[in-house]
Amino acid sequence: MKKILISSSIAFGIGILEWFHLETKRLTIKKYQIASEKIPEAFSGTRLAVMTDLHNNSFGRENEKLLKALEKENPEAILIAGDMLTAKEGKSFQVPLKLLKALSEKYLVYYALGNHEYRLKISPDIYGTMYKDYMREIENMDIRVLHNEKVAWKKGNSKIDVYGLEISKNFYYRFHPDVMKEEYIEGLLGKKKKEQFGILLAHNPSYFPVYAKWGADLVLSGHNHGGVIRIPGIGGMLSPNYHFFPKYDAGRFEEGNSTMILSAGLGGHTIPFRVFNPPELIILELKKRKRD
């Protein structure tokens, strides 16, 4: 009887682990509508796809399931909020590069770096030429990488400003990350024009109140992987800096006149599983809101 119980427990444990692993490959799609008086009429009805935190994950061979899902949703642009790869010495980044190449051949793509790309950039003593090699490949693609800069996405005489925020490593410290002030963002990106609708690609969602105070109309973030383990009715359990039950785990958040759409991400690292928290591709629809 004891042997049967032990065998059953082992089989149950293996089954649970297998389910955890399969959850990392179960791609889901989450949709939101973003309405604002500042969205130009020319952009009303525009569909965007948001990607974060791929971390070398692949949905089918060469991400064919992800690409087919995008084709079905038919977005006009892809907005990437960082961490497409994993910063690990000697680790290949061919998975994200092949995906980025496929995306660039069909869509308008804006890409802001996450902490993993940034880690490669600032630590060549650890990662060698990985960052330069990665960026050199992307330079040959039709992708706009935003290093603390703004680009105008134009349709005729109308435009939306897209900003890419790249913050320093002290804002990603575990346990006690630094406090961020509005002046810090202004020093990187300049002042935000109040009358112009602006999308901010900002990998770390923890500073959403600061992004809102700076003037971002729409913030697109990732980083927290949905809290890794999600408890139904409660939310995510753990952030990458080991904060339990983070305020910003996944979903839609409002702060003043700003909205943040926080992706649960497409992959993971360090903790190689997700529970009640499948990877997600986000689709946004922009709407011109009429004045009352």
Side-chain angles (χ1 to χ4, degrees), residues 202-225:
H203 185 68
N204 191 337
S206 299
Y207 301 101
F208 177 43
V210 188
Y211 307 151
K213 190 175 180 182
W214 172 73
D217 298 291
L218 174 61
V219 179
L220 304 177
S221 292
H223 187 58
N224 281 350
H225 301 175

Side-chain angles (χ1 to χ4, degrees), residues 53 82-83 87 113-120 172 203 223 269:
D53 302 282
D83 280 10
L113 304 189
N115 58 303
H116 277 254
E117 291 98 343
Y118 185 70
R119 198 181 302 169
L120 297 184
Y172 288 104
H203 185 68
H223 187 58
H269 69 96

Side-chain angles (χ1 to χ4, degrees), residues 15-165:
I16 290 293
L17 291 174
E18 180 64 21
W19 174 58
F20 288 174
H21 173 70
L22 290 174
E23 189 81 341
T24 67
K25 301 296 181 180
R26 185 167 67 88
L27 180 65
T28 59
I29 296 174
K30 205 159 189 177
K31 298 182 180 182
Y32 300 90
Q33 186 178 94
I34 306 298
S36 171
E37 294 177 358
K38 291 195 283 183
I39 292 175
E41 192 66 50
F43 283 86
S44 193
T46 296
R47 291 163 64 83
L48 315 173
V50 182
M51 293 184 180
T52 74
D53 302 282
L54 182 72
H55 288 295
N56 296 321
N57 197 15
S58 187
F59 300 90
R61 187 171 180 269
E62 295 189 353
N63 267 302
E64 60 183 356
K65 292 181 180 178
L66 177 55
L67 291 169
K68 285 181 179 178
L70 279 167
E71 184 177 359
K72 184 178 179 181
E73 295 299 329
N74 194 30
E76 291 187 32
I78 311 292
L79 279 69
I80 299 173
D83 280 10
M84 294 298 279
L85 48 70
T86 298
K88 187 175 181 180
E89 190 176 0
K91 192 172 183 65
S92 172
F93 36 68
Q94 287 307 303
V95 168
L97 283 178
K98 287 180 180 179
L99 175 61
L100 289 168
K101 187 174 189 302
L103 295 177
S104 69
E105 291 171 351
K106 187 169 184 178
Y107 306 100
L108 177 65
V109 182
Y110 297 113
Y111 184 173
L113 304 189
N115 58 303
H116 277 254
E117 291 98 343
Y118 185 70
R119 198 181 302 169
L120 297 184
K121 181 179 181 179
I122 65 172
S123 301
D125 55 318
I126 298 174
Y127 302 107
T129 62
M130 287 180 68
Y131 177 76
K132 288 184 178 180
D133 295 342
Y134 182 67
M135 296 308 298
R136 184 170 58 248
E137 293 286 342
I138 292 176
E139 285 171 1
N140 294 323
M141 305 175 194
D142 191 13
I143 291 177
R144 182 62 188 270
V145 181
L146 301 173
H147 302 281
N148 286 323
E149 57 188 310
K150 174 186 76 174
V151 64
W153 176 12
K154 295 181 179 180
K155 286 189 177 185
N157 294 323
S158 301
K159 70 173 183 176
I160 283 176
D161 288 335
V162 181
Y163 296 82
L165 182 65

